[in-house]
Amino acid sequence: MGKIIAIANQKGGVGKTTTSVNLAASLGVLEKKVLLIDADPQANATSGLGIDVEAVEQGTYQLLEHTVSAKDSIVETTSPNVSLIPAHIDLVAIEIELVDKEQREYMLKNAIGDLKDDYDFVLIDCAPSLGLLTLNALTAADSVIIPIQCEYFALEGLGKLLNTIKSVQKIHNQNLDIEGLLLTMYDSRLRLSNQVVEEVKKHFDEMVFETIIQRNVRLSEAPSYGESIISYDAGSKGANNYLSLANELIEKNA
């Protein structure tokens, strides 16, 4: 029985897609079977795994519309043990199209229910907003990983996201857990980075992952080659960080 984990934060640029792609690749290398669902209209997780976004004909959009089955929308990637349900820019329209549908928050949950048994982990890369797409992801998920960048406005907006999670728990998905808060873009030379780490750990203690994702040039280069950090530079700090996160996640769910 697999576990569905949404990777969400309504702030942009906090490392959601970087985490989705590289955590998926790291879990794959550690011999876990992974499905990554790209639920962000920017489709960066799709291109980050080397899939041509323009050529996507069946993906998250068709899945949410229920015009194609989950199994038919899956594509294989070059990352070992990692499959993908890709996104395309047309996903932008889904928020408007779902608005007057009944059970609109459950479209993703209903579409991927049967897949859970086929994978160890299903990761959902969420859009940087708290709209219907993210709501669908949180309703479908067992838990959520919240990436937080080690910068000045890090905690701003976190309260809003935690409130959204609370209301999803209340109304749509009582079983939704917070898997953990993940500190990203950490630079040990900056006093501010260290302050943010202290602050987050002080407030959220047990909820924070031990692993901290450090700023790493190789990590930001990898997507432009359509590769995860594992295949782009397995010896880099970024690869070590994400492998460590994957190990932590596996142990937590053992």
Side-chain angles (χ1 to χ4, degrees), residues 215-229:
R215 270 197 190 281
N216 179 236
V217 176
R218 307 297 276 169
L219 204 50
S220 31
E221 286 172 357
S224 58
Y225 293 91
E227 291 183 37
S228 74
I229 189 64

Side-chain angles (χ1 to χ4, degrees), residues 11 17 24-25 28-29 31 42 46-47 49 54 56 64-65 101-102 105 116 133 144 148 154 201 213 215 241-242 252:
K11 274 172 77 77
T17 301
V29 165
E31 301 191 335
Q42 295 173 68
T46 301
S47 58
L49 280 171
E54 292 307 312
V56 171
L64 285 163
E65 278 207 321
K101 293 259 168 72
E102 271 183 42
E105 297 89 355
K116 220 174 161 177
L133 268 172
V144 54
I148 299 173
K201 287 193 165 166
I213 309 298
R215 270 197 190 281
N241 287 169
Y242 277 108
K252 212 172 168 183

Side-chain angles (χ1 to χ4, degrees), residues 28-101:
V29 165
L30 296 170
E31 301 191 335
K32 295 293 173 191
K33 207 166 173 230
V34 185
L35 173 66
L36 176 58
I37 300 174
D38 192 348
D40 181 352
Q42 295 173 68
N44 291 339
T46 301
S47 58
L49 280 171
I51 305 293
D52 177 8
V53 175
E54 292 307 312
V56 171
E57 283 173 10
Q58 295 183 331
T60 317
Y61 177 72
Q62 288 75 14
L63 187 66
L64 285 163
E65 278 207 321
H66 292 197
T67 54
V68 63
S69 76
K71 284 193 164 67
D72 290 338
S73 51
I74 293 172
V75 295
E76 293 311 318
T77 72
T78 53
S79 252
N81 298 318
V82 178
S83 307
L84 172 76
I85 294 182
H88 183 275
I89 188 68
D90 60 9
L91 192 54
V92 166
I94 203 76
E95 301 254 342
I96 300 156
E97 288 171 26
L98 288 183
V99 158
D100 50 5
K101 293 259 168 72

